[in-house]
Amino acid sequence: MITSFKLLKGILSLALFFSICLWLIFLFILGGIILGYGGTFGLENILEDFELNSKTTRIVLTTYLLGGYAVIIYVVYILRKLVVSLNTGRLFTKFQSAGFNLIGQIIIWLVVISSISDFILKLILNSRFEVKASFPDFWLFLAVGSFFIALGQVFEKARLIREENELTV
């Protein structure tokens, strides 16, 4: 019988593996676009919002995209380590509370930086003043990040109560 933690660990391991593979493929493809080796490799819909007139613009946009995906891969990696830690049976450890808190902070920072950089890129590259803060994108991920931070705080309080309880026994 497979437990839900083992299943979740397997899913996260697959997601981590495929994310790293896709990141490396995008690194190769976008590197080719930056250096001017051929076309856009079918990425016209991603790049159509931005006018890629100069090599510097392409380097900045590629660094931004690859950096964002690398941070997402790191979040999946931490989440996988948390699932493994929760599966060991020892709950409310310092790593678990810090891990949930870190995931929440990274998600919130990623959403805020993504929104600000999207605004700045469209303003500078396309000379368009456009503000987007739709529910599915911005507010949902802020709520998810806040949930992880709250979960980290709950785990920290439970850890402190458990340590206090172990001292009194």
Side-chain angles (χ1 to χ4, degrees):
M1 184 172 100
I2 190 164
T3 64
S4 58
F5 278 119
K6 288 183 181 178
L7 181 64
L8 186 57
K9 178 188 168 205
I11 290 171
L12 287 172
S13 296
L14 281 174
L16 185 64
F17 174 75
F18 286 123
S19 297
I20 292 171
C21 290
L22 284 175
W23 187 84
L24 291 172
I25 290 169
F26 281 144
L27 177 66
F28 173 73
I29 290 173
L30 292 174
I33 293 171
I34 287 175
L35 299 175
Y37 296 125
T40 58
F41 298 97
L43 298 174
E44 292 88 5
N45 57 347
I46 294 173
L47 302 173
E48 71 185 5
D49 288 343
F50 305 104
E51 298 173 11
L52 301 176
N53 297 329
S54 69
K55 193 171 190 175
T56 305
T57 304
R58 290 183 283 194
I59 290 172
V60 168
L61 186 60
T62 303
T63 304
Y64 166 71
L65 289 172
L66 290 175
Y69 291 134
V71 171
I72 292 170
I73 290 171
Y74 183 62
V75 167
V76 173
Y77 172 73
I78 294 172
L79 195 56
R80 184 189 171 283
K81 284 182 70 171
L82 278 170
V83 168
V84 169
S85 173
L86 289 170
N87 192 29
T88 61
R90 180 125 170 103
L91 292 178
F92 310 123
T93 63
K94 196 167 197 162
F95 170 73
Q96 292 166 352
S97 61
F100 283 124
N101 196 17
L102 180 64
I103 288 174
Q105 289 176 3
I106 289 174
I107 290 173
I108 288 175
W109 277 109
L110 191 63
V111 169
V112 170
I113 289 172
S114 175
S115 297
I116 291 171
S117 61
D118 189 41
F119 170 75
I120 290 172
L121 283 172
K122 286 187 180 180
L123 185 66
I124 291 173
L125 297 179
N126 295 345
S127 299
R128 283 193 323 223
F129 182 76
E130 184 177 328
V131 177
K132 281 186 182 178
S134 63
F135 178 75
D137 295 337
F138 186 79
W139 300 109
L140 181 65
F141 285 111
L142 276 180
V144 168
S146 299
F147 170 75
F148 275 109
I149 290 174
L151 190 60
Q153 295 299 318
V154 167
F155 267 66
E156 181 64 22
K157 297 270 189 216
R159 182 184 69 83
L160 293 174
I161 290 172
R162 189 197 73 216
E163 286 177 359
E164 183 179 306
N165 193 16
E166 287 174 355
L167 290 175
T168 57
V169 171

